[in-house]
Short mmCIF file of all heavy atoms in Angstrom, two decimals:
data_model
loop_
_atom_site.label_atom_id
_atom_site.label_comp_id
_atom_site.label_asym_id
_atom_site.label_seq_id
_atom_site.Cartn_x
_atom_site.Cartn_y
_atom_site.Cartn_z
N GLU A 22 -26.13 -0.43 9.32
CA GLU A 22 -26.06 -1.88 9.40
C GLU A 22 -24.64 -2.34 9.10
O GLU A 22 -24.01 -1.87 8.16
CB GLU A 22 -27.04 -2.54 8.42
CG GLU A 22 -28.49 -2.30 8.77
CD GLU A 22 -29.43 -3.09 7.87
OE1 GLU A 22 -28.95 -3.63 6.87
OE2 GLU A 22 -30.62 -3.16 8.20
N LYS A 23 -24.13 -3.26 9.94
CA LYS A 23 -22.78 -3.78 9.74
C LYS A 23 -22.84 -5.30 9.57
O LYS A 23 -23.48 -5.98 10.36
CB LYS A 23 -21.89 -3.44 10.93
CG LYS A 23 -21.70 -1.94 11.13
CD LYS A 23 -20.81 -1.65 12.32
CE LYS A 23 -20.60 -0.16 12.51
NZ LYS A 23 -19.74 0.12 13.68
N LEU A 24 -22.24 -5.80 8.54
CA LEU A 24 -22.16 -7.23 8.31
C LEU A 24 -20.80 -7.73 8.78
O LEU A 24 -19.76 -7.22 8.34
CB LEU A 24 -22.36 -7.56 6.83
CG LEU A 24 -23.70 -7.14 6.23
CD1 LEU A 24 -23.78 -7.58 4.78
CD2 LEU A 24 -24.84 -7.72 7.03
N ILE A 25 -20.80 -8.71 9.69
CA ILE A 25 -19.54 -9.25 10.21
C ILE A 25 -19.50 -10.75 9.91
O ILE A 25 -20.42 -11.49 10.27
CB ILE A 25 -19.44 -9.03 11.73
CG1 ILE A 25 -19.47 -7.51 12.02
CG2 ILE A 25 -18.17 -9.65 12.28
CD1 ILE A 25 -19.43 -7.20 13.49
N TYR A 26 -18.48 -11.20 9.22
CA TYR A 26 -18.33 -12.62 8.91
C TYR A 26 -17.57 -13.29 10.06
O TYR A 26 -16.43 -12.93 10.37
CB TYR A 26 -17.57 -12.80 7.60
CG TYR A 26 -18.39 -12.43 6.41
CD1 TYR A 26 -18.38 -11.12 5.91
CD2 TYR A 26 -19.22 -13.36 5.80
CE1 TYR A 26 -19.16 -10.76 4.83
CE2 TYR A 26 -20.00 -13.02 4.72
CZ TYR A 26 -19.95 -11.71 4.23
OH TYR A 26 -20.72 -11.38 3.17
N LEU A 27 -18.25 -14.21 10.73
CA LEU A 27 -17.63 -14.91 11.87
C LEU A 27 -16.87 -16.13 11.36
O LEU A 27 -17.19 -16.72 10.33
CB LEU A 27 -18.71 -15.33 12.85
CG LEU A 27 -19.57 -14.18 13.41
CD1 LEU A 27 -20.58 -14.73 14.40
CD2 LEU A 27 -18.70 -13.14 14.07
N PRO A 28 -15.88 -16.55 12.11
CA PRO A 28 -15.03 -17.67 11.68
C PRO A 28 -15.80 -18.96 11.47
O PRO A 28 -15.41 -19.79 10.64
CB PRO A 28 -14.02 -17.80 12.83
CG PRO A 28 -13.99 -16.45 13.45
CD PRO A 28 -15.37 -15.91 13.33
N VAL A 29 -16.90 -19.20 12.23
CA VAL A 29 -17.62 -20.46 12.11
C VAL A 29 -18.56 -20.47 10.91
O VAL A 29 -19.34 -21.39 10.73
CB VAL A 29 -18.42 -20.74 13.40
CG1 VAL A 29 -17.49 -21.00 14.56
CG2 VAL A 29 -19.32 -19.57 13.72
N GLY A 30 -18.54 -19.45 10.10
CA GLY A 30 -19.36 -19.40 8.89
C GLY A 30 -20.79 -18.94 9.15
O GLY A 30 -21.64 -19.08 8.28
N VAL A 31 -21.07 -18.40 10.35
CA VAL A 31 -22.41 -17.91 10.65
C VAL A 31 -22.47 -16.42 10.36
O VAL A 31 -21.58 -15.67 10.76
CB VAL A 31 -22.78 -18.17 12.13
CG1 VAL A 31 -24.15 -17.60 12.44
CG2 VAL A 31 -22.75 -19.67 12.40
N LEU A 32 -23.52 -16.00 9.67
CA LEU A 32 -23.68 -14.58 9.33
C LEU A 32 -24.61 -13.94 10.35
O LEU A 32 -25.73 -14.39 10.55
CB LEU A 32 -24.27 -14.43 7.92
CG LEU A 32 -24.54 -12.99 7.45
CD1 LEU A 32 -23.21 -12.24 7.36
CD2 LEU A 32 -25.22 -13.00 6.10
N ALA A 33 -24.14 -12.94 11.02
CA ALA A 33 -24.97 -12.23 12.00
C ALA A 33 -25.13 -10.78 11.55
O ALA A 33 -24.21 -10.21 10.97
CB ALA A 33 -24.34 -12.28 13.38
N ILE A 34 -26.31 -10.21 11.78
CA ILE A 34 -26.57 -8.81 11.44
C ILE A 34 -26.63 -8.03 12.74
O ILE A 34 -27.45 -8.32 13.62
CB ILE A 34 -27.88 -8.64 10.67
CG1 ILE A 34 -27.82 -9.44 9.36
CG2 ILE A 34 -28.16 -7.18 10.39
CD1 ILE A 34 -29.09 -9.39 8.57
N LEU A 35 -25.76 -7.08 12.88
CA LEU A 35 -25.74 -6.23 14.07
C LEU A 35 -26.30 -4.87 13.70
O LEU A 35 -25.81 -4.22 12.78
CB LEU A 35 -24.31 -6.11 14.61
CG LEU A 35 -23.60 -7.42 14.92
CD1 LEU A 35 -22.21 -7.15 15.45
CD2 LEU A 35 -24.39 -8.25 15.91
N THR A 36 -27.35 -4.45 14.38
CA THR A 36 -28.00 -3.18 14.05
C THR A 36 -27.95 -2.27 15.26
O THR A 36 -28.35 -2.67 16.36
CB THR A 36 -29.46 -3.39 13.64
OG1 THR A 36 -29.49 -4.32 12.56
CG2 THR A 36 -30.10 -2.08 13.20
N ALA A 37 -27.49 -1.07 15.07
CA ALA A 37 -27.44 -0.10 16.17
C ALA A 37 -28.74 0.69 16.19
O ALA A 37 -29.06 1.37 15.22
CB ALA A 37 -26.26 0.82 15.99
N VAL A 38 -29.50 0.55 17.27
CA VAL A 38 -30.75 1.29 17.42
C VAL A 38 -30.71 2.01 18.76
O VAL A 38 -30.73 1.36 19.82
CB VAL A 38 -31.98 0.36 17.36
CG1 VAL A 38 -33.25 1.16 17.51
CG2 VAL A 38 -31.98 -0.44 16.08
N SER A 39 -30.63 3.32 18.74
CA SER A 39 -30.57 4.14 19.95
C SER A 39 -29.50 3.63 20.91
O SER A 39 -29.72 3.54 22.12
CB SER A 39 -31.94 4.14 20.65
OG SER A 39 -32.91 4.67 19.80
N GLY A 40 -28.40 3.20 20.39
CA GLY A 40 -27.29 2.78 21.22
C GLY A 40 -27.40 1.37 21.76
O GLY A 40 -26.54 0.92 22.50
N VAL A 41 -28.47 0.64 21.41
CA VAL A 41 -28.65 -0.73 21.87
C VAL A 41 -28.30 -1.68 20.73
O VAL A 41 -28.76 -1.50 19.60
CB VAL A 41 -30.10 -0.98 22.34
CG1 VAL A 41 -30.27 -2.43 22.78
CG2 VAL A 41 -30.44 -0.05 23.49
N LEU A 42 -27.53 -2.69 21.02
CA LEU A 42 -27.10 -3.64 20.00
C LEU A 42 -27.96 -4.89 20.08
O LEU A 42 -28.06 -5.52 21.12
CB LEU A 42 -25.63 -4.00 20.24
CG LEU A 42 -24.83 -4.50 19.04
CD1 LEU A 42 -24.84 -3.44 17.94
CD2 LEU A 42 -23.41 -4.83 19.48
N LEU A 43 -28.64 -5.20 18.96
CA LEU A 43 -29.48 -6.39 18.91
C LEU A 43 -28.92 -7.34 17.87
O LEU A 43 -28.47 -6.93 16.81
CB LEU A 43 -30.92 -6.02 18.52
CG LEU A 43 -31.68 -5.08 19.47
CD1 LEU A 43 -33.05 -4.78 18.90
CD2 LEU A 43 -31.81 -5.70 20.85
N THR A 44 -28.97 -8.62 18.17
CA THR A 44 -28.56 -9.62 17.20
C THR A 44 -29.77 -10.40 16.74
O THR A 44 -30.82 -10.38 17.38
CB THR A 44 -27.52 -10.59 17.80
OG1 THR A 44 -28.10 -11.27 18.90
CG2 THR A 44 -26.27 -9.83 18.25
N SER A 45 -29.64 -11.10 15.65
CA SER A 45 -30.79 -11.78 15.05
C SER A 45 -31.38 -12.84 15.95
O SER A 45 -32.58 -13.09 15.94
CB SER A 45 -30.38 -12.40 13.70
OG SER A 45 -29.35 -13.34 13.92
N ASP A 46 -30.56 -13.49 16.77
CA ASP A 46 -31.10 -14.55 17.60
C ASP A 46 -31.89 -14.00 18.81
O ASP A 46 -32.50 -14.75 19.55
CB ASP A 46 -29.99 -15.49 18.08
CG ASP A 46 -28.93 -14.76 18.87
OD1 ASP A 46 -29.00 -13.51 18.92
OD2 ASP A 46 -28.04 -15.43 19.42
N GLU A 47 -31.87 -12.66 19.00
CA GLU A 47 -32.65 -12.05 20.08
C GLU A 47 -34.03 -11.61 19.60
O GLU A 47 -34.83 -11.14 20.37
CB GLU A 47 -31.90 -10.84 20.65
CG GLU A 47 -30.63 -11.21 21.38
CD GLU A 47 -29.83 -9.98 21.75
OE1 GLU A 47 -30.09 -8.92 21.17
OE2 GLU A 47 -28.97 -10.10 22.62
N THR A 48 -34.30 -11.74 18.31
CA THR A 48 -35.59 -11.36 17.75
C THR A 48 -36.61 -12.45 18.05
O THR A 48 -36.33 -13.63 17.89
CB THR A 48 -35.51 -11.16 16.23
OG1 THR A 48 -34.52 -10.18 15.96
CG2 THR A 48 -36.83 -10.72 15.66
N ASN A 49 -37.82 -12.05 18.50
CA ASN A 49 -38.87 -13.03 18.76
C ASN A 49 -40.18 -12.56 18.17
O ASN A 49 -40.28 -11.45 17.66
CB ASN A 49 -39.01 -13.30 20.27
CG ASN A 49 -39.25 -12.01 21.04
OD1 ASN A 49 -40.24 -11.35 20.83
ND2 ASN A 49 -38.32 -11.65 21.92
N ALA A 50 -41.22 -13.41 18.29
CA ALA A 50 -42.51 -13.13 17.64
C ALA A 50 -43.16 -11.87 18.17
O ALA A 50 -43.92 -11.20 17.48
CB ALA A 50 -43.44 -14.32 17.81
N GLU A 51 -42.88 -11.51 19.40
CA GLU A 51 -43.53 -10.35 20.01
C GLU A 51 -43.07 -9.04 19.39
O GLU A 51 -43.72 -8.02 19.54
CB GLU A 51 -43.27 -10.34 21.52
CG GLU A 51 -43.96 -11.48 22.25
CD GLU A 51 -43.66 -11.46 23.73
OE1 GLU A 51 -42.80 -10.67 24.15
OE2 GLU A 51 -44.31 -12.23 24.44
N THR A 52 -41.96 -9.06 18.72
CA THR A 52 -41.47 -7.83 18.11
C THR A 52 -42.03 -7.63 16.70
O THR A 52 -41.78 -6.62 16.08
CB THR A 52 -39.94 -7.84 18.03
OG1 THR A 52 -39.53 -8.88 17.14
CG2 THR A 52 -39.32 -8.03 19.39
N GLN A 53 -42.81 -8.59 16.20
CA GLN A 53 -43.37 -8.50 14.86
C GLN A 53 -44.77 -7.88 14.93
O GLN A 53 -45.45 -7.93 15.95
CB GLN A 53 -43.45 -9.90 14.22
CG GLN A 53 -42.12 -10.63 14.20
CD GLN A 53 -41.04 -9.83 13.50
OE1 GLN A 53 -41.26 -9.35 12.39
NE2 GLN A 53 -39.91 -9.66 14.15
N SER A 54 -45.24 -7.27 13.85
CA SER A 54 -46.58 -6.69 13.81
C SER A 54 -47.18 -6.89 12.42
O SER A 54 -46.47 -7.05 11.44
CB SER A 54 -46.54 -5.20 14.14
OG SER A 54 -45.81 -4.50 13.15
N ALA A 55 -48.51 -6.86 12.39
CA ALA A 55 -49.23 -6.97 11.12
C ALA A 55 -50.30 -5.88 11.10
O ALA A 55 -50.88 -5.54 12.13
CB ALA A 55 -49.88 -8.34 10.98
N THR A 56 -50.53 -5.30 9.97
CA THR A 56 -51.50 -4.22 9.83
C THR A 56 -52.77 -4.74 9.16
O THR A 56 -52.71 -5.33 8.09
CB THR A 56 -50.93 -3.06 8.99
OG1 THR A 56 -49.76 -2.58 9.63
CG2 THR A 56 -51.94 -1.94 8.86
N GLY A 57 -53.93 -4.52 9.84
CA GLY A 57 -55.21 -4.90 9.24
C GLY A 57 -55.85 -3.69 8.60
O GLY A 57 -55.68 -2.56 9.05
N LYS A 58 -56.58 -3.90 7.54
CA LYS A 58 -57.20 -2.78 6.82
C LYS A 58 -58.55 -3.20 6.26
O LYS A 58 -58.67 -4.26 5.65
CB LYS A 58 -56.29 -2.31 5.69
CG LYS A 58 -56.86 -1.14 4.89
CD LYS A 58 -55.91 -0.74 3.76
CE LYS A 58 -56.44 0.43 2.96
NZ LYS A 58 -55.53 0.82 1.85
N ILE A 59 -59.57 -2.39 6.50
CA ILE A 59 -60.87 -2.62 5.88
C ILE A 59 -61.30 -1.34 5.18
O ILE A 59 -60.87 -0.25 5.54
CB ILE A 59 -61.96 -3.03 6.91
CG1 ILE A 59 -62.21 -1.90 7.90
CG2 ILE A 59 -61.60 -4.32 7.60
CD1 ILE A 59 -63.43 -2.11 8.76
N THR A 60 -62.12 -1.48 4.20
CA THR A 60 -62.66 -0.33 3.47
C THR A 60 -64.18 -0.34 3.55
O THR A 60 -64.81 -1.35 3.22
CB THR A 60 -62.23 -0.38 1.99
OG1 THR A 60 -60.80 -0.35 1.91
CG2 THR A 60 -62.78 0.82 1.22
N VAL A 61 -64.74 0.75 4.02
CA VAL A 61 -66.20 0.89 4.09
C VAL A 61 -66.63 1.74 2.91
O VAL A 61 -66.24 2.91 2.79
CB VAL A 61 -66.64 1.55 5.42
CG1 VAL A 61 -68.16 1.70 5.44
CG2 VAL A 61 -66.17 0.71 6.60
N GLU A 62 -67.41 1.16 2.03
CA GLU A 62 -67.86 1.89 0.85
C GLU A 62 -68.85 2.98 1.24
O GLU A 62 -69.68 2.81 2.14
CB GLU A 62 -68.54 0.93 -0.13
CG GLU A 62 -67.61 -0.12 -0.72
CD GLU A 62 -66.63 0.46 -1.71
OE1 GLU A 62 -66.87 1.59 -2.19
OE2 GLU A 62 -65.63 -0.20 -1.99
#
């Protein structure tokens, strides 16, 4: 993870994943997940 301070005071996180560069503003709801769990006694 690399933190780059931009001149306009905006903090962006650039993450290298398999050679693809993603920025925070490209993240959307479809990339999120939730795990459900039930226990049967």
Side-chain angles (χ1 to χ4, degrees):
E22 293 186 349
K23 297 180 179 180
L24 299 182
I25 299 177
Y26 288 90
L27 302 181
V29 292
V31 177
L32 178 64
I34 300 177
L35 304 181
T36 305
V38 180
S39 300
V41 178
L42 204 59
L43 299 177
T44 61
S45 61
D46 59 353
E47 293 172 343
T48 303
N49 55 62
E51 292 179 351
T52 65
Q53 305 304 309
S54 64
T56 301
K58 180 180 180 181
I59 64 168
T60 300
V61 179
E62 295 288 343

